[in-house]
Amino acid sequence: MADRVVAVVGSGQAGFQVAASLHQEGFAGRVVLIGDEPVPPYQRPPLSKTYLAGEAGVDELWLRPSEFYAKQHIELVCGDAVTGIDRVERRLSLASGLQMSWDHLVFATGARYRPLRVPGSELDGVLPLRTLADANTLRQRLNEARDVVVVGAGFIGLEFASVAMARGANVHILEITHHPMGRVVSQTVARFFTEAHIRWGAEFSLGTGVARILGEGGRVAAVETTDGRRLSADLVLICIGVIPNTELAGAAGLPVDNGIVVDEHLVTSDPAIFAIGDCANFPTPFAGGRVRLESVQNAVDQGRCVAARLAGRPEPYEKVPWFWSDQGDLKLQIAGITVGHDQSVVRGEPASRSFSVFCYRAGRLIGVESVNRTSDHVAARRMLAGEPRLAPEQAADLDYDLRAHIRGSARH
Ligand SMILES: Cc1cc2nc3c(=O)[nH]c(=O)nc-3n(C[C@H](O)[C@H](O)[C@H](O)COP(=O)(O)OP(=O)(O)OC[C@H]3O[C@@H](n4cnc5c(N)ncnc54)[C@H](O)[C@@H]3O)c2cc1C
């Protein structure tokens, strides 16, 4: 079996992890890691945080130094896209014209930014934030930007907004729903972060979209909102979500439904093909069904899971999902999936800027959102990994010791 070939399509966080873990797991075959970006694997989270703020340099983004790949016998291909997959012949083709055979193939193709389809969205200064190249452009444009409009108040939009304000720009945030980050956090946390951004100087227009973008000499000059206002802008960030990169898998005849559909072992309908990270739609007990997650934890743990399986140690994927977001001096950490909760209790005081929201569904703890309270987050991850029987009254009681609860020695 020493000559088995694993081809990994996509060299982001998930693709990097499966390749790195294969060798740690003792896999003896060839590992080929193919990425269409012209750079080695890097971390995306700093692109909207320290890197954008100019507090981290590019050297701090690389997942490993360039020598790592040769040392680990990972054949890294940068700047070449996989353009076709032949499942019968077990071959793939690259944009450069090269072809290669594989025995196992891992889709780690991630997601791309979702464009805003309105008149004027092609103007210079209307920008996305997904890649290192995007972040380099934005970092430079923020040097001159005075009036910034952020379209979409998700995590990345709000992180960008906090950096833009810290760099002296006036920031106006447009959000089509009435709840920033509303897709994934409780109303308590959404409200808390909205108020924080307003204190830092942001203006919000909730329930408001973009009618068109106006330019002067090819450059963005203003955004016209769906309620007829005109907001001055010399930089517009479009942050309205992502589209999973599933076209290759779909063209190869694999089922796709908001991501490449996989089973609990992250295997597609073809037993030789896996999908992991942002491009994968998988079943998890934490969502009570199928989900596609966009997080570093998910990319890393799914990469490890597939590597272990290829090395002969198959286990179903059932890791507790967790996520973080840094905005200004606030760290939000989420354990579990809180969407769909029907009860929530707050531990600590939002006014003290250190609190957690414990979210329950049908009396069962399903997730915890913590603001500047890492100890609650760590405890929550451990509880969710086991039997999360924490009563709402215990969660809300600051004197109730969560660590002792996990050890089974808390006073009741
Ligand atoms: C600005 C930003 C900030 C973020 N902050 C956080 C955070 O704070 N916390 C957190 O948990 N998560 C965060 N995330 C999300 C996290 O970075 C992603 O969930 C993670 O990168 C997903 O890894 P992935 O490998 O699945 O996808 P990606 O990182 O998107 O990598 C996929 C790679 O595959 C390449 N590719 C696609 N198709 C092909 C092809 N046909 N051939 C070759 N290559 C191909 C893509 O170009 C890309 O390089 C952030 C994301 C962004 C963009």
Side-chain angles (χ1 to χ4, degrees), residues 8-16 34-37 42-49 77 80-84 94 107-112 129-131 155-156 159 242 245 248 276-280 293-300 322-326:
V8 183
V9 187
S11 62
Q13 189 88 51
F16 161 81
I34 308 161
D36 58 3
E37 292 186 65
Y42 61 91
Q43 319 172 50
R44 293 187 199 278
L47 302 183
S48 52
K49 306 177 183 70
V77 178
D80 205 352
V82 176
T83 50
L94 294 166
F107 280 107
T109 45
R112 58 186 182 273
L129 176 48
R130 177 75 197 177
T131 64
F155 291 115
I156 295 172
E159 289 177 357
V242 296
N245 292 321
L248 259 186
I276 57 175
D278 282 16
C279 70
L293 293 178
E294 296 158 21
S295 75
V296 167
Q297 170 278 321
N298 186 61
V300 169
W322 57 266
F323 182 83
W324 81 95
S325 173
D326 298 328

Short mmCIF file of all heavy atoms in Angstrom, two decimals, residues 8-16 34-37 42-49 77 80-84 94 107-112 129-131 155-156 159 242 245 248 276-280 293-300 322-326, ligand 1:
data_model
loop_
_atom_site.label_atom_id
_atom_site.label_comp_id
_atom_site.label_asym_id
_atom_site.label_seq_id
_atom_site.Cartn_x
_atom_site.Cartn_y
_atom_site.Cartn_z
N VAL A 8 -5.10 16.14 -2.64
CA VAL A 8 -5.91 17.08 -1.86
C VAL A 8 -6.15 18.31 -2.73
O VAL A 8 -5.20 18.97 -3.15
CB VAL A 8 -5.20 17.48 -0.55
CG1 VAL A 8 -6.10 18.39 0.28
CG2 VAL A 8 -4.78 16.25 0.26
N VAL A 9 -7.42 18.60 -3.00
CA VAL A 9 -7.77 19.72 -3.88
C VAL A 9 -8.12 20.91 -3.01
O VAL A 9 -9.15 20.93 -2.35
CB VAL A 9 -8.95 19.37 -4.79
CG1 VAL A 9 -9.19 20.48 -5.80
CG2 VAL A 9 -8.71 18.04 -5.49
N GLY A 10 -7.23 21.91 -2.99
CA GLY A 10 -7.42 23.09 -2.14
C GLY A 10 -6.41 23.06 -1.02
O GLY A 10 -6.31 22.08 -0.27
N SER A 11 -5.62 24.15 -0.92
CA SER A 11 -4.54 24.16 0.08
C SER A 11 -4.80 25.23 1.14
O SER A 11 -3.91 25.96 1.54
CB SER A 11 -3.19 24.38 -0.60
OG SER A 11 -3.20 25.63 -1.24
N GLY A 12 -6.07 25.34 1.57
CA GLY A 12 -6.40 26.22 2.69
C GLY A 12 -6.20 25.47 4.01
O GLY A 12 -5.44 24.49 4.08
N GLN A 13 -6.90 25.92 5.03
CA GLN A 13 -6.74 25.35 6.37
C GLN A 13 -7.03 23.84 6.38
O GLN A 13 -6.28 23.05 6.97
CB GLN A 13 -7.71 26.07 7.31
CG GLN A 13 -7.52 25.75 8.75
CD GLN A 13 -6.51 26.64 9.45
OE1 GLN A 13 -6.58 27.85 9.36
NE2 GLN A 13 -5.57 26.04 10.15
N ALA A 14 -8.10 23.42 5.72
CA ALA A 14 -8.50 22.01 5.77
C ALA A 14 -7.55 21.15 4.94
O ALA A 14 -7.10 20.09 5.38
CB ALA A 14 -9.93 21.85 5.25
N GLY A 15 -7.22 21.62 3.72
CA GLY A 15 -6.31 20.86 2.86
C GLY A 15 -4.94 20.72 3.50
O GLY A 15 -4.34 19.63 3.52
N PHE A 16 -4.44 21.82 4.06
CA PHE A 16 -3.16 21.77 4.76
C PHE A 16 -3.22 20.72 5.86
O PHE A 16 -2.31 19.90 6.02
CB PHE A 16 -2.82 23.14 5.37
CG PHE A 16 -1.79 23.03 6.44
CD1 PHE A 16 -0.45 22.95 6.11
CD2 PHE A 16 -2.15 22.94 7.79
CE1 PHE A 16 0.52 22.80 7.09
CE2 PHE A 16 -1.19 22.78 8.77
CZ PHE A 16 0.15 22.71 8.42
N ILE A 34 -2.80 20.50 -3.70
CA ILE A 34 -2.89 21.39 -4.86
C ILE A 34 -3.75 22.61 -4.52
O ILE A 34 -4.92 22.47 -4.14
CB ILE A 34 -3.54 20.66 -6.06
CG1 ILE A 34 -2.82 19.34 -6.33
CG2 ILE A 34 -3.54 21.55 -7.31
CD1 ILE A 34 -3.62 18.36 -7.16
N GLY A 35 -3.18 23.80 -4.68
CA GLY A 35 -3.93 25.02 -4.39
C GLY A 35 -3.86 25.99 -5.56
O GLY A 35 -2.82 26.11 -6.21
N ASP A 36 -4.97 26.68 -5.80
CA ASP A 36 -4.96 27.62 -6.92
C ASP A 36 -4.44 29.01 -6.53
O ASP A 36 -4.18 29.84 -7.40
CB ASP A 36 -6.35 27.71 -7.58
CG ASP A 36 -7.44 28.13 -6.61
OD1 ASP A 36 -7.13 28.41 -5.43
OD2 ASP A 36 -8.61 28.18 -7.02
N GLU A 37 -4.28 29.27 -5.24
CA GLU A 37 -3.71 30.57 -4.86
C GLU A 37 -2.19 30.48 -5.05
O GLU A 37 -1.60 29.40 -4.89
CB GLU A 37 -4.07 30.91 -3.42
CG GLU A 37 -5.55 31.19 -3.26
CD GLU A 37 -5.92 31.68 -1.86
OE1 GLU A 37 -5.48 32.78 -1.50
OE2 GLU A 37 -6.63 30.96 -1.14
N TYR A 42 -2.04 29.40 4.26
CA TYR A 42 -1.99 30.46 5.28
C TYR A 42 -3.29 30.48 6.06
O TYR A 42 -4.29 29.91 5.65
CB TYR A 42 -1.73 31.83 4.63
CG TYR A 42 -2.78 32.27 3.64
CD1 TYR A 42 -3.87 33.03 4.03
CD2 TYR A 42 -2.67 31.92 2.30
CE1 TYR A 42 -4.83 33.45 3.12
CE2 TYR A 42 -3.64 32.32 1.38
CZ TYR A 42 -4.72 33.08 1.79
OH TYR A 42 -5.67 33.48 0.88
N GLN A 43 -3.25 31.20 7.19
CA GLN A 43 -4.44 31.34 8.03
C GLN A 43 -5.25 32.53 7.55
O GLN A 43 -4.69 33.60 7.33
CB GLN A 43 -4.07 31.68 9.46
CG GLN A 43 -2.92 30.97 10.07
CD GLN A 43 -2.62 31.60 11.42
OE1 GLN A 43 -3.51 31.79 12.25
NE2 GLN A 43 -1.37 31.96 11.64
N ARG A 44 -6.58 32.35 7.48
CA ARG A 44 -7.42 33.48 7.08
C ARG A 44 -7.84 34.38 8.25
O ARG A 44 -8.02 35.59 8.03
CB ARG A 44 -8.67 32.99 6.35
CG ARG A 44 -8.34 32.35 5.02
CD ARG A 44 -9.56 31.99 4.19
NE ARG A 44 -9.16 31.01 3.20
CZ ARG A 44 -8.58 31.31 2.05
NH1 ARG A 44 -8.37 32.56 1.70
NH2 ARG A 44 -8.21 30.36 1.21
N PRO A 45 -8.06 33.86 9.47
CA PRO A 45 -8.60 34.75 10.52
C PRO A 45 -7.85 36.09 10.68
O PRO A 45 -8.51 37.13 10.80
CB PRO A 45 -8.54 33.88 11.78
CG PRO A 45 -8.78 32.50 11.24
CD PRO A 45 -8.02 32.45 9.94
N PRO A 46 -6.51 36.13 10.64
CA PRO A 46 -5.87 37.44 10.84
C PRO A 46 -6.16 38.44 9.71
O PRO A 46 -5.92 39.64 9.87
CB PRO A 46 -4.37 37.11 10.87
CG PRO A 46 -4.30 35.64 11.15
CD PRO A 46 -5.53 35.05 10.54
N LEU A 47 -6.67 37.95 8.57
CA LEU A 47 -6.90 38.86 7.43
C LEU A 47 -7.92 39.94 7.78
O LEU A 47 -7.90 41.02 7.18
CB LEU A 47 -7.40 38.09 6.20
CG LEU A 47 -6.52 36.96 5.66
CD1 LEU A 47 -7.13 36.38 4.40
CD2 LEU A 47 -5.09 37.45 5.38
N SER A 48 -8.82 39.64 8.72
CA SER A 48 -9.80 40.67 9.12
C SER A 48 -9.49 41.21 10.51
O SER A 48 -10.31 41.92 11.09
CB SER A 48 -11.22 40.08 9.09
OG SER A 48 -11.26 38.88 9.84
N LYS A 49 -8.31 40.83 11.04
CA LYS A 49 -7.98 41.24 12.41
C LYS A 49 -6.57 41.84 12.40
O LYS A 49 -6.37 42.92 11.86
CB LYS A 49 -8.07 40.02 13.35
CG LYS A 49 -9.41 39.28 13.28
CD LYS A 49 -9.44 38.05 14.17
CE LYS A 49 -10.72 37.26 14.05
NZ LYS A 49 -10.90 36.54 12.77
N VAL A 77 1.64 22.02 -4.63
CA VAL A 77 1.51 22.70 -5.93
C VAL A 77 0.76 24.01 -5.66
O VAL A 77 -0.37 23.98 -5.17
CB VAL A 77 0.68 21.84 -6.92
CG1 VAL A 77 0.50 22.55 -8.25
CG2 VAL A 77 1.32 20.46 -7.09
N ASP A 80 -2.06 26.58 -9.21
CA ASP A 80 -2.60 25.75 -10.29
C ASP A 80 -3.94 25.17 -9.81
O ASP A 80 -4.01 24.63 -8.70
CB ASP A 80 -1.62 24.62 -10.63
CG ASP A 80 -1.79 24.13 -12.07
OD1 ASP A 80 -2.75 24.55 -12.72
OD2 ASP A 80 -0.94 23.33 -12.51
N ALA A 81 -4.97 25.31 -10.62
CA ALA A 81 -6.30 24.84 -10.20
C ALA A 81 -6.60 23.47 -10.78
O ALA A 81 -6.23 23.17 -11.91
CB ALA A 81 -7.36 25.83 -10.69
N VAL A 82 -7.27 22.67 -9.99
CA VAL A 82 -7.80 21.40 -10.52
C VAL A 82 -9.03 21.76 -11.34
O VAL A 82 -9.93 22.47 -10.87
CB VAL A 82 -8.16 20.44 -9.36
CG1 VAL A 82 -8.80 19.17 -9.90
CG2 VAL A 82 -6.92 20.11 -8.54
N THR A 83 -9.07 21.30 -12.59
CA THR A 83 -10.17 21.70 -13.48
C THR A 83 -11.10 20.54 -13.82
O THR A 83 -12.19 20.76 -14.32
CB THR A 83 -9.60 22.28 -14.79
OG1 THR A 83 -8.63 21.36 -15.30
CG2 THR A 83 -8.95 23.63 -14.57
N GLY A 84 -10.68 19.32 -13.55
CA GLY A 84 -11.55 18.20 -13.87
C GLY A 84 -11.16 16.95 -13.10
O GLY A 84 -9.98 16.75 -12.78
N LEU A 94 -5.23 19.53 -14.31
CA LEU A 94 -4.93 20.85 -13.76
C LEU A 94 -5.02 21.90 -14.86
O LEU A 94 -4.84 21.59 -16.06
CB LEU A 94 -3.52 20.86 -13.17
CG LEU A 94 -3.32 19.96 -11.95
CD1 LEU A 94 -1.85 19.78 -11.65
CD2 LEU A 94 -4.02 20.55 -10.75
N PHE A 107 -11.66 16.71 -1.31
CA PHE A 107 -12.07 18.08 -1.66
C PHE A 107 -11.90 18.96 -0.43
O PHE A 107 -12.54 18.71 0.60
CB PHE A 107 -13.54 18.12 -2.09
CG PHE A 107 -13.78 17.69 -3.49
CD1 PHE A 107 -14.35 16.46 -3.77
CD2 PHE A 107 -13.42 18.51 -4.55
CE1 PHE A 107 -14.57 16.06 -5.08
CE2 PHE A 107 -13.63 18.12 -5.86
CZ PHE A 107 -14.20 16.88 -6.13
N ALA A 108 -11.05 19.97 -0.55
CA ALA A 108 -10.89 20.96 0.52
C ALA A 108 -10.90 22.32 -0.17
O ALA A 108 -10.03 23.15 0.04
CB ALA A 108 -9.60 20.72 1.28
N THR A 109 -11.92 22.49 -1.02
CA THR A 109 -11.96 23.64 -1.93
C THR A 109 -12.53 24.90 -1.28
O THR A 109 -12.55 25.96 -1.91
CB THR A 109 -12.78 23.29 -3.19
OG1 THR A 109 -13.98 22.61 -2.77
CG2 THR A 109 -12.01 22.37 -4.12
N GLY A 110 -13.01 24.80 -0.03
CA GLY A 110 -13.42 26.00 0.70
C GLY A 110 -14.61 26.69 0.06
O GLY A 110 -15.51 26.07 -0.51
N ALA A 111 -14.57 28.00 0.15
CA ALA A 111 -15.69 28.82 -0.32
C ALA A 111 -15.12 30.11 -0.90
O ALA A 111 -13.97 30.46 -0.63
CB ALA A 111 -16.63 29.12 0.84
N ARG A 112 -15.92 30.79 -1.72
CA ARG A 112 -15.48 32.08 -2.27
C ARG A 112 -16.48 33.15 -1.86
O ARG A 112 -17.62 32.82 -1.49
CB ARG A 112 -15.36 32.00 -3.79
CG ARG A 112 -16.65 31.60 -4.48
CD ARG A 112 -16.44 31.39 -5.98
NE ARG A 112 -17.67 31.07 -6.68
CZ ARG A 112 -18.16 29.84 -6.82
NH1 ARG A 112 -17.53 28.81 -6.28
NH2 ARG A 112 -19.28 29.64 -7.48
N LEU A 129 -13.39 40.41 1.00
CA LEU A 129 -12.31 40.01 1.91
C LEU A 129 -12.40 38.50 2.13
O LEU A 129 -13.17 38.02 2.96
CB LEU A 129 -12.44 40.76 3.25
CG LEU A 129 -11.43 40.37 4.35
CD1 LEU A 129 -10.00 40.32 3.83
CD2 LEU A 129 -11.52 41.32 5.53
N ARG A 130 -11.64 37.78 1.33
CA ARG A 130 -11.58 36.33 1.50
C ARG A 130 -10.14 35.83 1.47
O ARG A 130 -9.78 34.93 2.20
CB ARG A 130 -12.40 35.65 0.37
CG ARG A 130 -12.36 34.14 0.38
CD ARG A 130 -13.21 33.55 1.48
NE ARG A 130 -12.89 32.15 1.74
CZ ARG A 130 -13.45 31.41 2.69
NH1 ARG A 130 -14.38 31.91 3.46
NH2 ARG A 130 -13.09 30.16 2.89
N THR A 131 -9.32 36.45 0.62
CA THR A 131 -7.98 35.91 0.40
C THR A 131 -6.91 36.89 0.89
O THR A 131 -7.20 38.06 1.18
CB THR A 131 -7.74 35.68 -1.11
OG1 THR A 131 -7.79 36.96 -1.75
CG2 THR A 131 -8.79 34.77 -1.72
N PHE A 155 -19.67 38.24 10.92
CA PHE A 155 -18.42 38.34 11.69
C PHE A 155 -17.36 39.14 10.95
O PHE A 155 -16.72 40.02 11.51
CB PHE A 155 -17.86 36.94 11.97
CG PHE A 155 -18.70 36.15 12.93
CD1 PHE A 155 -19.35 35.00 12.52
CD2 PHE A 155 -18.83 36.55 14.25
CE1 PHE A 155 -20.12 34.27 13.40
CE2 PHE A 155 -19.60 35.83 15.14
CZ PHE A 155 -20.25 34.68 14.70
N ILE A 156 -17.15 38.80 9.67
CA ILE A 156 -16.03 39.41 8.95
C ILE A 156 -16.31 40.90 8.72
O ILE A 156 -15.43 41.74 8.90
CB ILE A 156 -15.75 38.65 7.64
CG1 ILE A 156 -15.28 37.24 7.99
CG2 ILE A 156 -14.71 39.37 6.80
CD1 ILE A 156 -15.13 36.31 6.82
N GLU A 159 -15.68 42.62 12.04
CA GLU A 159 -14.24 42.68 12.38
C GLU A 159 -13.57 43.75 11.52
O GLU A 159 -12.78 44.56 12.01
CB GLU A 159 -13.60 41.31 12.14
CG GLU A 159 -14.04 40.28 13.17
CD GLU A 159 -13.47 38.89 12.92
OE1 GLU A 159 -12.78 38.68 11.90
OE2 GLU A 159 -13.73 38.00 13.75
N VAL A 242 -20.68 33.64 1.74
CA VAL A 242 -19.80 32.94 0.79
C VAL A 242 -20.60 31.91 0.00
O VAL A 242 -21.72 31.56 0.36
CB VAL A 242 -18.64 32.23 1.52
CG1 VAL A 242 -17.73 33.22 2.22
CG2 VAL A 242 -19.15 31.17 2.49
N ASN A 245 -17.33 26.13 -2.78
CA ASN A 245 -16.77 25.73 -4.08
C ASN A 245 -17.07 24.25 -4.33
O ASN A 245 -16.30 23.37 -3.94
CB ASN A 245 -15.26 25.98 -4.10
CG ASN A 245 -14.94 27.45 -4.08
OD1 ASN A 245 -15.62 28.26 -4.71
ND2 ASN A 245 -13.91 27.83 -3.33
N LEU A 248 -16.68 21.50 -9.03
CA LEU A 248 -15.89 20.35 -9.50
C LEU A 248 -16.53 19.04 -9.05
O LEU A 248 -16.63 18.09 -9.82
CB LEU A 248 -14.50 20.39 -8.84
CG LEU A 248 -13.29 20.89 -9.58
CD1 LEU A 248 -12.08 20.67 -8.70
CD2 LEU A 248 -13.13 20.22 -10.93
N ILE A 276 -14.05 18.12 3.07
CA ILE A 276 -13.80 18.65 4.43
C ILE A 276 -13.78 20.18 4.39
O ILE A 276 -13.55 20.79 3.36
CB ILE A 276 -12.46 18.13 5.00
CG1 ILE A 276 -11.28 18.49 4.07
CG2 ILE A 276 -12.51 16.64 5.22
CD1 ILE A 276 -9.91 18.11 4.64
N GLY A 277 -14.02 20.76 5.57
CA GLY A 277 -13.90 22.21 5.71
C GLY A 277 -15.12 22.94 5.17
O GLY A 277 -16.23 22.40 5.12
N ASP A 278 -14.91 24.18 4.74
CA ASP A 278 -16.01 25.06 4.33
C ASP A 278 -16.86 24.50 3.19
O ASP A 278 -17.98 24.94 2.98
CB ASP A 278 -15.46 26.42 3.86
CG ASP A 278 -15.05 27.33 5.00
OD1 ASP A 278 -14.89 26.85 6.13
OD2 ASP A 278 -14.86 28.54 4.74
N CYS A 279 -16.30 23.56 2.40
CA CYS A 279 -17.05 23.07 1.22
C CYS A 279 -17.90 21.85 1.55
O CYS A 279 -18.63 21.36 0.68
CB CYS A 279 -16.08 22.73 0.07
SG CYS A 279 -15.06 21.27 0.38
N ALA A 280 -17.85 21.34 2.79
CA ALA A 280 -18.51 20.06 3.09
C ALA A 280 -19.82 20.24 3.84
O ALA A 280 -19.91 21.04 4.78
CB ALA A 280 -17.56 19.19 3.93
N LEU A 293 -20.19 24.20 7.97
CA LEU A 293 -19.64 25.18 8.91
C LEU A 293 -18.45 25.88 8.30
O LEU A 293 -17.69 25.28 7.53
CB LEU A 293 -19.22 24.49 10.21
CG LEU A 293 -20.35 23.90 11.06
CD1 LEU A 293 -19.78 23.20 12.29
CD2 LEU A 293 -21.34 24.99 11.49
N GLU A 294 -18.27 27.14 8.67
CA GLU A 294 -17.13 27.92 8.19
C GLU A 294 -16.30 28.30 9.42
O GLU A 294 -16.54 29.34 10.04
CB GLU A 294 -17.61 29.19 7.47
CG GLU A 294 -18.40 28.88 6.22
CD GLU A 294 -19.32 30.02 5.79
OE1 GLU A 294 -19.06 31.18 6.20
OE2 GLU A 294 -20.28 29.76 5.06
N SER A 295 -15.39 27.43 9.81
CA SER A 295 -14.55 27.77 10.96
C SER A 295 -13.24 27.00 10.89
O SER A 295 -13.16 25.93 10.28
CB SER A 295 -15.26 27.43 12.28
OG SER A 295 -15.24 26.05 12.50
N VAL A 296 -12.24 27.56 11.54
CA VAL A 296 -10.92 26.93 11.60
C VAL A 296 -11.03 25.57 12.31
O VAL A 296 -10.49 24.57 11.85
CB VAL A 296 -9.93 27.86 12.32
CG1 VAL A 296 -8.66 27.12 12.68
CG2 VAL A 296 -9.64 29.07 11.43
N GLN A 297 -11.74 25.54 13.44
CA GLN A 297 -11.88 24.27 14.18
C GLN A 297 -12.41 23.17 13.27
O GLN A 297 -11.91 22.05 13.26
CB GLN A 297 -12.83 24.50 15.37
CG GLN A 297 -13.27 23.24 16.09
CD GLN A 297 -14.43 22.52 15.40
OE1 GLN A 297 -15.34 23.15 14.88
NE2 GLN A 297 -14.37 21.19 15.36
N ASN A 298 -13.46 23.50 12.51
CA ASN A 298 -14.09 22.50 11.65
C ASN A 298 -13.12 22.02 10.57
O ASN A 298 -13.00 20.82 10.31
CB ASN A 298 -15.34 23.14 11.03
CG ASN A 298 -16.17 22.17 10.24
OD1 ASN A 298 -16.67 21.19 10.76
ND2 ASN A 298 -16.29 22.45 8.95
N ALA A 299 -12.40 22.97 9.96
CA ALA A 299 -11.44 22.61 8.90
C ALA A 299 -10.33 21.72 9.47
O ALA A 299 -9.96 20.70 8.87
CB ALA A 299 -10.86 23.88 8.28
N VAL A 300 -9.82 22.09 10.63
CA VAL A 300 -8.70 21.35 11.23
C VAL A 300 -9.15 19.96 11.68
O VAL A 300 -8.53 18.94 11.33
CB VAL A 300 -8.12 22.15 12.43
CG1 VAL A 300 -7.14 21.29 13.23
CG2 VAL A 300 -7.45 23.43 11.94
N TRP A 322 -16.62 24.84 17.48
CA TRP A 322 -16.38 26.11 18.20
C TRP A 322 -15.78 27.14 17.26
O TRP A 322 -15.24 26.80 16.21
CB TRP A 322 -15.54 25.92 19.46
CG TRP A 322 -14.19 25.29 19.30
CD1 TRP A 322 -13.91 23.96 19.43
CD2 TRP A 322 -12.95 25.94 19.03
NE1 TRP A 322 -12.57 23.75 19.24
CE2 TRP A 322 -11.96 24.95 18.99
CE3 TRP A 322 -12.58 27.27 18.82
CZ2 TRP A 322 -10.62 25.24 18.74
CZ3 TRP A 322 -11.24 27.56 18.57
CH2 TRP A 322 -10.28 26.55 18.54
N PHE A 323 -15.87 28.40 17.69
CA PHE A 323 -15.57 29.50 16.79
C PHE A 323 -15.20 30.71 17.63
O PHE A 323 -15.58 30.80 18.79
CB PHE A 323 -16.85 29.81 15.98
CG PHE A 323 -16.66 30.91 14.97
CD1 PHE A 323 -16.11 30.63 13.73
CD2 PHE A 323 -17.03 32.21 15.27
CE1 PHE A 323 -15.92 31.64 12.81
CE2 PHE A 323 -16.85 33.22 14.34
CZ PHE A 323 -16.29 32.93 13.11
N TRP A 324 -14.45 31.64 17.05
CA TRP A 324 -14.19 32.89 17.78
C TRP A 324 -14.23 34.06 16.80
O TRP A 324 -14.10 33.89 15.58
CB TRP A 324 -12.83 32.84 18.48
CG TRP A 324 -11.67 33.14 17.55
CD1 TRP A 324 -11.07 34.35 17.36
CD2 TRP A 324 -11.00 32.22 16.69
NE1 TRP A 324 -10.08 34.23 16.44
CE2 TRP A 324 -10.00 32.94 16.00
CE3 TRP A 324 -11.15 30.86 16.40
CZ2 TRP A 324 -9.17 32.35 15.05
CZ3 TRP A 324 -10.32 30.28 15.46
CH2 TRP A 324 -9.34 31.02 14.81
N SER A 325 -14.42 35.25 17.37
CA SER A 325 -14.35 36.48 16.57
C SER A 325 -13.79 37.58 17.47
O SER A 325 -14.22 37.71 18.62
CB SER A 325 -15.75 36.87 16.09
OG SER A 325 -15.72 38.14 15.46
N ASP A 326 -12.82 38.34 16.96
CA ASP A 326 -12.26 39.47 17.73
C ASP A 326 -12.76 40.76 17.12
O ASP A 326 -12.55 41.01 15.94
CB ASP A 326 -10.73 39.46 17.66
CG ASP A 326 -10.14 38.20 18.28
OD1 ASP A 326 -10.74 37.67 19.22
OD2 ASP A 326 -9.08 37.75 17.80
C1 LIG B 1 -11.30 37.15 6.67
C2 LIG B 1 -11.67 35.86 7.36
C3 LIG B 1 -11.65 35.79 8.75
C4 LIG B 1 -11.99 34.60 9.39
N1 LIG B 1 -11.96 34.56 10.76
C5 LIG B 1 -12.24 33.40 11.39
C6 LIG B 1 -12.15 33.30 12.81
O1 LIG B 1 -11.88 34.27 13.49
N2 LIG B 1 -12.38 32.11 13.39
C7 LIG B 1 -12.69 30.99 12.66
O2 LIG B 1 -12.89 29.91 13.22
N3 LIG B 1 -12.79 31.05 11.30
C8 LIG B 1 -12.57 32.23 10.66
N4 LIG B 1 -12.67 32.29 9.30
C9 LIG B 1 -13.11 31.10 8.55
C10 LIG B 1 -11.96 30.16 8.30
O3 LIG B 1 -10.83 30.85 7.86
C11 LIG B 1 -12.41 29.14 7.27
O4 LIG B 1 -13.49 28.42 7.81
C12 LIG B 1 -11.29 28.19 6.89
O5 LIG B 1 -10.26 28.90 6.25
C13 LIG B 1 -11.82 27.11 5.97
O6 LIG B 1 -10.75 26.36 5.48
P1 LIG B 1 -10.93 25.54 4.11
O7 LIG B 1 -9.61 24.92 3.87
O8 LIG B 1 -12.15 24.72 4.18
O9 LIG B 1 -11.24 26.64 3.01
P2 LIG B 1 -10.33 27.81 2.45
O10 LIG B 1 -9.52 28.40 3.54
O11 LIG B 1 -11.27 28.69 1.69
O12 LIG B 1 -9.33 27.10 1.43
C14 LIG B 1 -9.75 26.52 0.23
C15 LIG B 1 -8.67 26.69 -0.79
O13 LIG B 1 -8.96 25.89 -1.93
C16 LIG B 1 -8.67 26.62 -3.10
N5 LIG B 1 -9.39 26.03 -4.24
C17 LIG B 1 -10.71 26.08 -4.51
N6 LIG B 1 -10.97 25.41 -5.65
C18 LIG B 1 -9.79 24.90 -6.09
C19 LIG B 1 -9.42 24.12 -7.21
N7 LIG B 1 -10.30 23.71 -8.12
N8 LIG B 1 -8.11 23.79 -7.38
C20 LIG B 1 -7.19 24.18 -6.47
N9 LIG B 1 -7.49 24.94 -5.39
C21 LIG B 1 -8.78 25.29 -5.20
C22 LIG B 1 -9.14 28.02 -2.72
O14 LIG B 1 -8.65 29.02 -3.56
C23 LIG B 1 -8.55 28.11 -1.31
O15 LIG B 1 -7.23 28.51 -1.34
C24 LIG B 1 -12.34 33.48 8.63
C25 LIG B 1 -12.38 33.55 7.21
C26 LIG B 1 -12.05 34.73 6.60
C27 LIG B 1 -12.10 34.80 5.09
#
